[in-house]
Amino acid sequence: MTCLTPSFDVVVVGSCMTDLVSYTERLPKPGETVRGKKFLTGFGGKGANQCIQAARLGAKTAMVCKLGNDSFGNDYVENFKTNGVSTDYLSQTEEARTGVAPIMVNDEGQNAIVIVAGANLLLNSNDLRKASKAIIHSKVVLGQLEIRPDIILEALRMAHKNGVKTVFNSAPAVADLDPEFYQVTDVFCCNESEATILTDIEVTSVEDAEMANSILLDKGCKSVITTLGAGGCVLTTQENRTPIHVPTRKVKALDTTGAGDSFVGALAFYIAQYPHLQLDEITRRASHIASMSVEAHGTQGSYVSRNNLPEDLF
Ligand SMILES: Nc1ncnc2c1ncn2[C@@H]1O[C@H](COP(=O)(O)OP(=O)(O)OP(=O)(O)O)[C@@H](O)[C@H]1O
Ligand SMILES: [K+]
């Protein structure tokens, strides 16, 4: 009998959310009912978004996550399958509904959002144990903060202990991040507001990001990337404490939703499949991929696939 050891490029331990988006002339006041003009649903959640971007670039991916045993959960399983993501380490529960994000958008483009994490918060140590072979035999383990932080930490710890590269995206921002996250992270990735909350430096420029990165490196991770939207990002590593500003492409921004997740997913893909490439070149390529997501509407719907990309990115 052959023993099949799972071998993935990228294993994501993270969240899945179904976006429920209503477009109205104006947002309702408390107790008020307004008529909507359009409604759509979308696949979201930082973990799943990042996993889908990595998969579209050609990474062999698996998603460790928890969905509800409901129609949103069933649709999400199909979405992973359509995108070639392994669902072997995903489970559906009767104890909570699939995570949702009801979103209202008014004519001015302002929004009001309620996030109900639901089943995402039930992903537990037992689920990680079932996925442990996939985790310790993968090239990259990727986590964010939309599920229980102790579970993400446990997954990163498991990967780190077994020599697997770890990428941690500290989103959404929390002020009291467990210091162990820095110890078990190879590439720590945050945006301006997360860097601000983690370092108490108001990050709005390249210079601010350079200072913030230095503080985050001192906490123990091997490298830090702070993304700055159209300003690109700043990379700093323990090996070379001189920060590198990586500008992004100048694009006509149509919809920046999901750019951060596209960047992190692409980063994980390159780290897994191009381990000998310098991190600044990896960052440059991930930035290129993310800038393309800004040129299209939606989140996962705006993520490019390898066959639509120039060969020099591979
Ligand atoms: N307007 C833009 N033009 C070009 N590239 C962009 C633009 N916005 C974002 N990007 C690309 O996406 C990367 C991540 O963007 P950003 O720093 O806005 O992440 P984020 O705040 O986590 O995004 P979001 O929360 O909207 O998903 C940037 O480093 C850049 O490469
Ligand atoms: K987009």
Side-chain angles (χ1 to χ4, degrees):
M1 206 178 85
T2 48
C3 172
L4 286 179
T5 305
S7 65
F8 294 98
D9 289 319
V10 179
V11 172
V12 179
V13 181
S15 60
C16 306
M17 304 271 182
T18 302
D19 294 338
L20 307 165
V21 193
S22 303
Y23 294 88
T24 66
E25 197 179 314
R26 59 183 182 79
L27 303 177
K29 299 189 187 81
E32 190 190 16
T33 302
V34 296
R35 276 181 203 284
K37 299 197 265 192
K38 193 172 88 176
F39 172 77
L40 50 86
T41 62
F43 294 110
K46 288 177 187 300
N49 291 345
Q50 294 172 14
C51 189
I52 296 282
Q53 179 64 90
R56 294 229 174 116
L57 295 173
K60 192 174 171 216
T61 54
M63 188 75 200
V64 182
C65 64
K66 187 84 87 185
L67 296 160
N69 199 2
D70 50 29
S71 57
F72 292 141
N74 297 341
D75 289 348
Y76 224 125
V77 173
E78 283 312 306
N79 180 49
F80 283 132
K81 288 185 174 160
T82 308
N83 282 281
V85 175
S86 166
T87 55
D88 289 353
Y89 310 98
L90 162 166
S91 59
Q92 289 181 270
T93 177
E94 296 289 345
E95 310 294 315
R97 304 294 303 265
T98 297
V100 289
I103 301 169
M104 286 180 287
V105 184
N106 70 12
D107 280 352
E108 276 87 64
Q110 293 166 314
N111 58 36
I113 304 176
V114 180
I115 291 181
V116 188
N120 287 297
L121 300 182
L122 299 185
L123 191 73
N124 57 38
S125 294
N126 202 26
D127 297 311
L128 290 187
R129 253 192 306 279
K130 288 182 191 155
S132 62
K133 275 213 172 105
I135 289 173
I136 67 175
H137 293 293
S138 65
K139 296 185 178 137
V140 171
V141 166
L142 170 57
Q144 319 74 24
L145 286 172
E146 276 183 344
I147 64 168
R148 275 171 43 194
D150 60 314
I151 296 302
I152 285 297
L153 190 51
E154 193 179 332
L156 294 174
R157 200 188 288 131
M158 194 189 284
H160 185 70
K161 229 172 65 187
N162 287 279
V164 176
K165 288 256 168 66
T166 53
V167 178
F168 175 58
N169 173 217
S170 61
V174 292
D176 57 342
L177 189 69
D178 186 322
E180 198 191 339
F181 273 100
Y182 300 101
Q183 311 296 327
V184 295
T185 296
D186 289 305
V187 183
F188 189 98
C189 197
C190 56
N191 69 8
E192 286 160 301
S193 60
E194 289 137 21
T196 299
I197 288 176
L198 292 170
T199 63
D200 281 333
I201 289 180
E202 182 76 28
V203 178
T204 58
S205 68
V206 170
E207 292 70 31
D208 302 334
E210 290 175 356
M211 279 193 288
N213 280 9
S214 176
I215 293 174
L216 293 171
L217 275 185
D218 286 343
K219 294 178 191 261
C221 43
K222 293 216 177 71
S223 48
V224 179
I225 301 171
T226 298
T227 63
L228 301 163
C233 59
V234 174
L235 161 73
T236 320
T237 65
Q238 292 284 9
E239 280 168 18
N240 174 12
R241 297 281 298 220
T242 312
I244 300 172
H245 174 221
V246 178
T248 188
R249 284 165 65 237
K250 242 194 159 42
V251 299
K252 189 167 178 287
L254 205 62
D255 177 2
T256 61
T257 317
D261 291 338
S262 170
F263 178 83
V264 177
L267 195 71
F269 159 77
Y270 282 114
I271 293 171
Q273 287 209 351
Y274 297 84
H276 302 300
L277 217 55
Q278 292 290 319
L279 198 51
D280 57 336
E281 179 56 24
I282 285 180
T283 305
R284 213 162 274 125
R285 293 186 192 189
S287 194
H288 186 118
I289 304 290
S291 71
M292 293 182 79
S293 76
V294 169
E295 295 176 293
H297 281 294
T299 305
Q300 291 178 18
S302 72
Y303 292 175
V304 280
S305 296
R306 180 168 183 152
N307 51 10
N308 297 319
L309 286 162
E311 257 317 299
D312 59 3
L313 283 173
F314 298 95

